[in-house]
Amino acid sequence: MAIEEPKYAVSFQEVAFEIRDYQGAVAAEVTVTGDQKGAANQGFRLLAGYIFGGNARRQSIDMTAPVAQERVSEKIAMTAPVTQTPTDGAWVVRFTMPSAYTLETLPEPSDQRVKLRKIAPARFVVIRFSGYAAPESVEERTAELIAFAKERHLRTIGPASLAQYNPPWTLWFMRRNEVMIQLEN
């Protein structure tokens, strides 16, 4: 069974780096606190509750990938797919909703912490890596991505987002992770 991922077109690729143009989407997201792993677990549970029937219609919604996480930023609105990012211990964890839904057709979340929002089309610079998405690995990949963007004179905006594509039982060497940063248009 295939899991839906956000739709994008690759406009540039070099080894593990890509520049992607993402279509608009709708996402469910929560803001949680803690370290990267704890926030990811807490956010995932809250969002899973929503898609597994914790909504006004008690309707199940198909799971999509990736789960995104990014640090909360005072300056920039979050625009990545399913992501998690850290700032002062606050993280936004996001599930992109299946493309069959719009903001108007999704059921209202039962938990007030779950927010639905429209994500505008956007361009991102991305680096892909396998293994566990430990904070050290994410920081290292983020630094590589920032260096790549600077070398190519790409203007980034907002925080880096961590996108994780696999369920927890996936073997470490088969895991697909990405760090992505939005680019200025």
Side-chain angles (χ1 to χ4, degrees):
M1 178 168 67
I3 293 181
E4 184 178 348
E5 296 181 12
K7 293 173 180 40
Y8 63 85
V10 176
S11 60
F12 177 84
Q13 183 173 18
E14 182 180 301
V15 192
F17 299 96
E18 291 182 343
I19 295 176
R20 299 177 184 168
D21 293 304
Y22 280 87
Q23 295 182 8
V26 176
E29 63 185 31
V30 294
T31 301
V32 293
T33 58
D35 63 12
Q36 178 186 315
K37 185 175 181 178
N41 289 336
Q42 180 184 4
F44 184 90
R45 281 193 304 276
L46 290 168
L47 293 169
Y50 170 68
I51 68 168
F52 295 142
N55 56 65
R57 290 186 229 144
R58 298 179 194 228
Q59 173 184 344
S60 288
I61 299 167
D62 289 340
M63 180 72 188
T64 61
V67 172
Q69 177 180 359
E70 65 187 39
R71 287 185 194 244
V72 172
S73 170
E74 296 285 325
K75 303 179 233 171
I76 305 293
M78 305 305 155
T79 57
V82 175
T83 38
Q84 178 182 345
T85 307
T87 296
D88 300 335
W91 299 78
V92 171
V93 180
R94 181 177 298 115
F95 285 4
T96 301
M97 296 290 95
S99 60
Y101 290 97
T102 66
L103 207 50
E104 296 75 30
T105 61
L106 280 166
E108 197 64 33
S110 298
D111 189 323
Q112 294 178 353
R113 295 172 290 183
V114 177
K115 306 294 182 203
L116 302 177
R117 68 183 212 91
K118 203 170 198 172
I119 306 289
R123 176 172 275 192
F124 287 85
V125 61
V126 179
I127 184 172
R128 184 182 289 202
F129 66 102
S130 61
Y132 292 113
E136 304 79 30
S137 296
V138 174
E139 287 175 25
E140 184 179 322
R141 294 310 183 282
T142 301
E144 290 175 30
L145 190 59
I146 290 169
F148 174 84
K150 284 182 181 176
E151 286 172 10
R152 282 151 186 80
H153 307 288
L154 302 172
R155 298 185 67 171
T156 60
I157 55 174
S161 297
L162 169 63
Q164 297 178 284
Y165 288 81
N166 306 104
W169 56 84
T170 303
L171 297 172
W172 69 271
F173 58 89
M174 296 180 69
R175 290 176 180 247
R176 174 181 165 202
N177 308 297
E178 296 173 342
V179 173
M180 48 198 320
I181 303 174
Q182 188 173 350
L183 294 174
E184 205 172 69
N185 287 337

